[in-house]
Amino acid sequence: MDEPLLRIVDVWKSYEDLQVLKGVSFELAERDVKVIFGPSGSGKSTLLRCINMLNPPDSGEIYLRGDNITAPNVDLNAIRTRIGMVFQHFNLFAHLKAIDNVSIGLRRVKGLEKQEARRKALEALNRVRLAEWADHYPAQLSGGQQQRVGIARALAMEPDVILFDEPTSALDPELIGEVLQAMLDIAKAGTTMVVVTHEMGFARAVASEMIFLDDGVVIERGTPEHFSVSPKSKRVKRFLNQLDVLYGSHEKLLKLSEEEEGK
Amino acid sequence: MLFQTELEFIGMGIVNSIIIFPISIYIMRWYSKKKDMPHIQLWDTSLKTAYKVSLVWLMVNILIGILFNTFAKNITIYFLIQYYVYMIIDLFIGTIVVKSIYKKELGESFMFVFIIQVILFGIGLIIGFITVLLLGYIFPEVSDVFFFVLEFGLFFTLLITASSLLIGFAIGISLAIMRVYGGKELHWLSSGYEKLFRGIPLLVLIFIFAFGFPGLFWYLESLDRLLASVIMALGLRSGAYQSQIFRGAILSVNPGQMEAARSVGMNKIQAFRHVVLPQALRLAVPGWSNEYAVVIKDSSFASAIGTFEMTFIAYIWGLRSVELFTLSMGVVAVLYFLFTFPVTRLFGERQTKKLKKLGMGGG
């Protein structure tokens, strides 16, 4: 079958007067990891929210294994069980323990028995190395642990694809590593993923393709090597340079501030 | 005869459950913490279970009290024994209910809880006797009015409060849902209801239901009609206030929770039922305990139409002379205080602490 797992065709979306997405298209094959990056306000999060129809697009089509999920009479709840989502601010269910956070979807949506759901949930927690924290409430977990529970919650539903909406940007630097590690693990295990992130290290390790989004338009796409060696457009170069200054060597930052002072 | 009516027993049982249990449980908790027991976890869960059992026990007590009130005509000296027997039956029912509600293995803690309850009940009864005797000896008048009010008024005050709160809960939560999720018409309907019932004095409402529509509860006896109309008035008004409490609670659940629930494939109803509502109910507890305090105090308005409850009983007592009036109103004021302050403190503050632990709610 030639049909890709996920096919996004010319998606447009606006919030009132603000045109956020201006015709975005891409395809995602099985076991692909796609990294979307770009400056804030470029429509990355909106794109993800369009894909799982939390905010349906104004126009354009999205196909999941050949099913048009933007068609009017589609059962969106059934579609969403096939698309996992990991949120920037975790959004764990505050009144439930970690294990119940993971198993509630299995029980209420997939209708599994309690024991079976618990077993599967533990399995998912184990994949993000949190099995021993199963009986803690979200508020008792660190940010990194909470985000891993969020990942386990998406994993447990066994979706076709998992969408990550800036999973590490609300975290302390110390906690980012454990979340990225968990994401690396499940990416290597063959999970199809769309990741909005600025973690270039993660992108280089697993991304099959990267997309640079700015102002609702795909500016450039290519492999991680392409972006690290020879990005074409000026906009991308500038953005990557800034990222490099932020995450990379502090000499560059010093140089930059000296230049500022020189002016 | 020491006890004249069954209500005295029931009143005592209720007072027992409300006053003696929490105090003793707090003492035991404090003791176990002070001794720094290694198995404090077990103690703690057992005590929590004891709490829940005694709460359920209390409710069953009220139910059985109603039954007794209706059917028991012959009161004998064996009543004390009977009372003990049905207390123990209550205890079993309570434990089983708690077990099925919380789906917890009580196992080893069951005997512990059971023994605590039996011992505490015995102690409570003895303390009760001693207090009654001492009080009767030192302040005969205070003791008289105290037990007169407890005997004839407490049950009805609690009945009115509990029923109105239940009616108000049903109305309040549906109005809140309508207001938050409903369309324009439903929103209009619920806010109209709120404005209407918040704008009418309670006494006027009671008069409307009691005398304005005398045929409203045609199937009841005349005294029960008055009681029912009081409950109706209090319940409808409480619904208006409770809808505000629940609306606030639903709105203060982070919208991300709904989104996350939808993202695992729940439909809107499932997401509300399993994710938003449980959190909203937890958030509503402090406000709701406040509403309880308002309703139990406002149940005193029932005295205006001559329904039996604490205020009316104290009023009758005081009518005999002016000096007695000060006394009886003082005693009834203390009783109301005893039934509001500890409860709002227990539910309000404990729940606020708990919510903080869960990272829910502000402040």
Side-chain angles (χ1 to χ4, degrees):
Chain A
M1 216 167 76
D2 292 322
E3 183 65 36
L5 182 78
L6 188 69
R7 189 151 62 88
I8 289 154
V9 187
D10 196 26
V11 163
W12 290 71
K13 173 79 187 171
S14 64
Y15 294 122
E16 285 163 24
D17 293 341
L18 186 70
Q19 191 68 44
V20 185
L21 294 178
K22 300 167 186 168
V24 176
S25 314
F26 65 83
E27 287 182 0
L28 190 66
E30 198 94 28
R31 292 169 162 262
D32 262 5
V33 176
K34 182 130 341 200
V35 168
I36 300 171
F37 69 114
S40 46
S42 59
K44 304 166 306 223
S45 294
T46 307
L47 180 60
L48 287 195
R49 297 168 66 87
C50 283
I51 295 175
N52 80 347
M53 300 293 280
L54 280 173
N55 299 60
D58 298 336
S59 71
E61 279 130 37
I62 300 169
Y63 295 89
L64 182 67
R65 288 200 199 280
D67 305 331
N68 184 357
I69 66 174
T70 44
N73 294 324
V74 171
D75 179 6
L76 283 180
N77 299 317
I79 292 295
R80 288 203 191 98
T81 61
R82 294 163 59 189
I83 305 176
M85 179 101 177
V86 175
F87 295 88
Q88 182 178 5
H89 296 288
F90 329 138
N91 291 357
L92 294 185
F93 306 133
H95 64 302
L96 295 177
K97 291 174 177 166
I99 180 92
D100 300 321
N101 259 288
V102 181
S103 66
I104 188 169
L106 296 170
R107 286 194 65 196
R108 303 297 173 194
V109 181
K110 291 204 165 175
L112 292 186
E113 285 293 313
K114 198 178 171 188
Q115 292 304 322
E116 176 72 1
R118 201 183 152 80
R119 195 183 58 72
K120 281 199 164 181
L122 263 180
E123 221 168 73
L125 279 177
N126 213 10
R127 287 183 69 183
V128 295
R129 298 174 198 170
L130 273 180
E132 68 270 33
W133 293 87
D135 285 321
H136 286 70
Y137 286 99
Q140 297 168 319
L141 301 173
S142 74
Q145 287 169 331
Q146 287 189 45
Q147 191 56 292
R148 277 145 70 200
V149 174
I151 295 171
R153 178 171 67 185
L155 265 181
M157 298 295 287
E158 293 165 356
D160 293 339
V161 54
I162 301 183
L163 314 174
F164 291 79
D165 186 5
E166 304 205 30
T168 56
S169 58
L171 293 173
D172 285 345
E174 282 179 322
L175 303 174
I176 290 176
E178 59 188 69
V179 173
L180 289 182
Q181 188 59 49
M183 287 166 66
L184 274 176
D185 289 346
I186 61 171
K188 281 181 180 154
T191 313
T192 317
M193 295 158 57
V194 179
V195 187
V196 169
T197 186
H198 293 152
E199 300 294 338
M200 290 300 139
F202 171 80
R204 271 179 220 121
V206 288
S208 46
E209 192 190 33
M210 294 172 71
I211 291 179
F212 183 82
L213 207 62
D214 186 21
D215 205 15
V217 189
V218 176
I219 303 279
E220 196 168 336
R221 59 178 79 198
T223 58
E225 289 75 38
H226 164 82
F227 278 104
S228 62
V229 179
S230 56
K232 266 181 267 163
S233 79
K234 229 177 163 182
R235 182 75 188 85
V236 180
K237 273 182 196 160
R238 204 169 76 222
F239 183 79
L240 284 175
N241 195 34
Q242 272 166 351
L243 271 190
D244 211 24
V245 167
L246 278 177
Y247 289 100
S249 49
H250 66 286
E251 288 90 356
K252 275 188 183 172
L253 195 65
L254 282 176
K255 214 169 106 190
L256 208 72
S257 64
E258 275 163 18
E259 275 170 24
E260 290 279 315
E261 278 171 20
K263 277 175 193 171
Chain B
M1 223 165 97
L2 196 56
F3 292 99
Q4 277 115 24
T5 65
E6 72 274 20
L7 273 179
E8 196 155 2
F9 285 108
I10 291 154
M12 234 170 171
I14 293 169
V15 172
N16 246 322
S17 318
I18 289 182
I19 299 172
I20 308 288
F21 277 116
I23 294 173
S24 335
I25 283 167
Y26 267 111
I27 292 171
M28 298 184 81
R29 198 190 164 96
W30 166 79
Y31 181 76
S32 65
K33 270 197 181 142
K34 190 187 155 204
K35 286 274 165 186
D36 201 19
M37 299 186 170
H39 48 279
I40 187 164
Q41 202 66 36
L42 176 67
W43 273 75
D44 229 37
T45 47
S46 307
L47 289 174
K48 273 183 200 157
T49 321
Y51 250 140
K52 287 166 190 165
V53 171
S54 55
L55 272 179
V56 174
W57 187 9
L58 175 65
M59 283 167 199
V60 175
N61 247 327
I62 292 172
L63 265 181
I64 289 184
I66 295 171
L67 287 181
F68 256 91
N69 206 23
T70 333
F71 299 113
K73 299 292 177 201
N74 306 319
I75 296 142
T76 65
I77 195 75
Y78 298 108
F79 207 93
L80 189 67
I81 300 162
Q82 278 181 32
Y83 191 67
Y84 250 116
V85 169
Y86 91 63
M87 277 290 176
I88 288 168
I89 296 172
D90 281 2
L91 185 54
F92 266 109
I93 298 173
T95 315
I96 290 163
V97 170
V98 168
K99 202 175 162 162
S100 58
I101 289 176
Y102 294 92
K103 292 185 188 116
K104 270 205 177 125
E105 272 312 317
L106 297 179
E108 53 207 339
S109 64
F110 175 77
M111 275 319 282
F112 178 73
V113 171
F114 186 79
I115 291 165
I116 289 180
Q117 302 264 356
V118 170
I119 294 173
L120 286 187
F121 181 68
I123 295 172
L125 215 58
I126 293 165
I127 293 175
F129 270 125
I130 295 171
T131 327
V132 170
L133 287 178
L134 275 183
L135 202 67
Y137 190 69
I138 305 170
F139 305 108
E141 253 134 33
V142 174
S143 139
D144 275 0
V145 65
F146 188 75
F147 284 101
F148 192 64
V149 169
L150 269 192
E151 206 178 310
F152 296 107
L154 178 64
F155 172 73
F156 289 107
T157 293
L158 289 182
L159 180 71
I160 292 172
T161 310
S163 328
S164 329
L165 279 174
L166 266 179
I167 294 173
F169 180 81
I171 294 175
I173 206 145
S174 5
L175 286 182
I177 292 170
M178 277 157 66
R179 194 139 178 201
V180 177
Y181 296 108
K184 207 173 160 192
E185 292 80 12
L186 290 177
H187 187 282
W188 182 84
L189 185 72
S190 78
S191 71
Y193 179 95
E194 275 163 28
K195 286 190 177 78
L196 183 70
F197 279 94
R198 287 166 65 188
I200 303 175
L202 181 64
L203 204 49
V204 174
L205 273 182
I206 291 176
F207 284 142
I208 288 176
F209 287 119
F211 307 132
F213 300 104
L216 195 59
F217 300 101
W218 75 94
Y219 46 86
L220 294 173
E221 285 176 42
S222 58
L223 267 182
D224 290 346
R225 268 186 216 176
L226 292 182
L227 189 66
S229 47
V230 168
I231 290 173
M232 182 92 166
L234 267 169
L236 289 182
R237 192 193 62 151
S238 181
Y241 284 99
Q242 286 191 37
S243 84
Q244 287 289 341
I245 295 173
F246 291 121
R247 187 176 73 100
I250 291 171
L251 286 178
S252 61
V253 174
N254 193 326
Q257 299 279 319
M258 185 61 145
E259 269 176 12
R262 301 301 302 275
S263 83
V264 293
M266 290 188 196
N267 60 35
K268 220 174 169 181
I269 294 168
Q270 282 174 323
F272 179 74
R273 158 86 182 73
H274 296 297
V275 175
V276 177
L277 187 64
Q279 296 188 41
L281 287 182
R282 281 169 173 81
L283 287 166
V285 167
W288 204 79
S289 70
N290 203 39
E291 177 64 18
Y292 154 81
V294 169
V295 170
I296 195 171
K297 280 181 288 184
D298 282 357
S299 71
S300 63
F301 276 104
S303 61
I305 58 166
T307 305
F308 272 37
E309 44 76 53
M310 293 206 297
T311 314
F312 188 61
I313 302 293
Y315 179 75
I316 294 174
W317 180 273
L319 276 185
R320 292 189 298 178
S321 86
V322 181
E323 292 83 24
L324 285 179
F325 213 89
T326 323
L327 184 72
S328 68
M329 283 301 141
V331 165
V332 87
V334 169
L335 269 173
Y336 276 114
F337 182 77
L338 281 181
F339 274 91
T340 48
F341 174 68
V343 175
T344 45
R345 191 183 155 84
L346 191 76
F347 281 92
E349 292 185 8
R350 273 183 67 101
Q351 185 69 15
T352 314
K353 259 187 217 164
K354 240 189 211 169
L355 286 174
K356 247 184 202 168
K357 219 167 136 193
L358 285 180
M360 288 160 59

